[in-house]
Amino acid sequence: MTEKTAIMGKVTSVYGVKGWLKVFSFTQPKENICAYPQWLLERDGKKQSVKVLQCKPHGNGLVAQFEGCNDREVAKRYCDHLISVDSSLLPDLEQGEYYWHQLEGLQVKLAGGQLLGKVSHLIETGSNDVLVVRKCKGSIDGKERLIPYLPEQVVQEVNLEAGVIQVDWDPEF
């Protein structure tokens, strides 16, 4: 499969006896994941496309039912799968806004050109998102850095075409 996908959530466990599954959504608001009628499920390098028949809020999370999944035993096969969708289906963002999957894998450089590493993933802290930057070929050292994603304060520029995020950051920190 060559299409680019974006991870949107995870199937966590079965719900009830009629094939429903509990879903943890990474989207904001969490119900946005329900807007996609086709999900790509992945676990252990294996991918499977499923048609979502129903997806709805339940308690603090979501529950979903897939086509062909009408009992608890069948539903168990879907647990612990990551949920992705074709990234071309995602809504366009405003200028200067990015989806996390667009930032993952980008090189992080200082204004002088020194390479700090690559964005491994992002984490949400409540006050702001944080870039987890890990060493890569050519990085100045082997440190893992947690760099706040604060545009115009720390993050000076994001260049998706060049694959680079320029930051104003103390490399010793």
Side-chain angles (χ1 to χ4, degrees):
M1 179 183 312
T2 58
E3 69 194 35
K4 286 206 65 124
T5 59
I7 297 174
M8 306 290 278
K10 184 175 184 175
V11 177
T12 59
S13 60
V14 296
Y15 173 74
V17 295
K18 295 184 179 180
W20 285 78
L21 293 143
K22 290 184 182 181
V23 172
F24 183 81
S25 174
F26 301 156
T27 65
Q28 290 187 7
K30 66 184 170 199
E31 295 85 7
N32 282 0
I33 196 171
C34 296
Y36 302 94
Q38 197 79 22
W39 292 350
L40 180 67
L41 303 181
E42 182 178 356
R43 184 175 76 183
D44 301 328
K46 296 178 183 162
K47 297 179 182 182
Q48 172 183 5
S49 182
V50 295
K51 181 178 180 182
V52 181
L53 296 178
Q54 296 184 68
C55 179
K56 60 186 180 182
H58 180 75
N60 290 333
L62 301 169
V63 291
Q65 186 178 39
F66 304 150
E67 183 176 66
C69 183
N70 358 351
D71 70 54
R72 188 174 181 85
E73 291 308 309
V74 173
K76 285 181 181 178
R77 291 187 268 175
Y78 297 110
C79 293
D80 297 320
H81 280 72
L82 288 174
I83 301 166
S84 299
V85 299
D86 184 329
S87 57
S88 68
L89 300 174
L90 299 175
D92 292 333
L93 297 175
E94 298 288 325
Q95 178 71 25
E97 292 183 354
Y98 304 95
Y99 287 109
W100 282 15
H101 76 272
Q102 292 177 296
L103 303 176
E104 292 169 350
L106 297 184
Q107 292 184 337
V108 178
K109 292 185 177 182
L110 300 172
Q114 303 98 319
L115 178 62
L116 295 178
K118 281 189 174 183
V119 177
S120 166
H121 60 284
L122 288 93
I123 52 178
E124 186 176 7
T125 64
S127 58
N128 57 268
D129 296 333
V130 174
L131 301 167
V132 179
V133 179
R134 295 192 173 145
K135 70 176 182 172
C136 65
K137 184 175 182 177
S139 57
I140 61 173
D141 57 31
K143 287 185 181 179
E144 177 179 273
R145 292 178 172 82
L146 302 177
I147 301 176
Y149 187 81
L150 297 170
E152 298 176 16
Q153 295 175 43
V154 176
V155 175
Q156 302 299 302
E157 179 185 7
V158 176
N159 187 329
L160 296 178
E161 292 76 31
V164 174
I165 298 173
Q166 184 179 318
V167 296
D168 181 10
W169 193 250
D170 181 352
E172 297 302 316
F173 192 66

